[in-house]
Amino acid sequence: MTTDQETSMSVTETGATVWLTGLPSAGKTTIAYELAGRLRGEGHRVEVLDGDEIREFLSAGLGFSREDRHTNVQRIGFVAELLAANGVKVLVPVIAPYADSRDAVRGRHRAEGTAYLEVHVATPVEVCSERDVKGLYAKQAAGEISGLTGVDDPYEAPESPDLRIESHRQTVQESAAELYALLSERGAA
């Protein structure tokens, strides 16, 4: 084994979970993938646990009741903590509308000694509805769906997130850079 191989094998990657919460179409996933690209470019191990993909594969069959949303968030939190505990930077762009669900995930990370950052992508509902990436706001307005988070279903914004990003006031790159700076400050980048 060469010295370079020995050195690279002895270096342990610091994992962390970064939970990006916010309304539908707030920009959570876009920011997560922008940051993931930067971190991967620096050689970090990164996973993005996208809420839509998780619902399709890990939480298929769950609805959108408060209980089902809580179960979904806890499943994602478990997977995120497991990955982060093993040196992966885990970016989680998931609405997670209820504070108690997010607090339970934070508590699990704290109990396991795993870094956890909560980021509120604080985009006003009016801006989200204009973006309407998935057409949810239009469907809700037309009466085709109900229970849209932040419109006719609750969204409990974090009171004291580790970072609040106002994505409607800056570019995706600026938002990702702000989050990267927080990771660096906390020793996780």
Side-chain angles (χ1 to χ4, degrees):
M1 189 178 300
T2 68
T3 305
D4 287 341
Q5 288 171 324
E6 289 170 355
T7 303
S8 69
M9 288 180 70
S10 65
V11 175
T12 303
E13 179 79 19
T14 302
T17 294
V18 179
W19 198 290
L20 294 95
T21 179
L23 297 174
S25 296
K28 302 175 299 296
T29 302
T30 305
I31 294 167
Y33 278 108
E34 179 71 24
L35 179 59
R38 179 173 181 176
L39 291 169
R40 282 188 186 112
E42 293 178 356
H44 295 281
R45 294 173 25 192
V46 181
E47 289 295 335
V48 177
L49 299 181
D50 179 84
D52 293 332
E53 292 175 1
I54 296 293
R55 274 226 174 244
E56 182 179 349
F57 297 106
L58 186 62
S59 294
L62 289 179
F64 291 91
S65 68
R66 184 179 180 107
E67 296 77 24
D68 282 357
R69 288 176 191 249
H70 180 77
T71 298
N72 185 50
V73 168
Q74 297 317 297
R75 287 178 182 176
I76 297 167
F78 173 79
V79 172
E81 194 283 322
L82 186 64
L83 289 167
N86 285 283
V88 178
K89 309 264 188 288
V90 186
L91 308 178
V92 185
V94 173
I95 296 169
Y98 300 109
D100 61 344
S101 295
R102 295 188 308 267
D103 290 345
V105 171
R106 180 188 294 275
R108 174 179 192 77
H109 280 71
R110 186 177 296 124
E112 298 297 328
T114 306
Y116 177 88
L117 300 171
E118 183 177 72
V119 178
H120 181 206
V121 182
T123 308
V125 69
E126 300 79 25
V127 174
C128 294
S129 133
E130 287 173 18
R131 290 178 180 171
D132 204 8
V133 177
K134 299 173 195 158
L136 298 174
Y137 292 92
K139 287 179 182 176
Q140 191 277 336
E144 296 172 24
I145 63 169
S146 63
L148 181 59
T149 302
V151 177
D152 60 351
D153 208 52
Y155 176 73
E156 299 169 357
E159 292 181 17
S160 302
D162 295 286
L163 177 64
R164 189 175 317 278
I165 293 175
E166 295 187 356
S167 71
H168 58 294
R169 299 187 191 277
Q170 58 192 24
T171 67
V172 172
Q173 293 76 19
E174 290 168 335
S175 295
E178 216 179 327
L179 186 44
Y180 181 87
L182 175 67
L183 282 170
S184 295
E185 174 187 306
R186 302 281 175 94

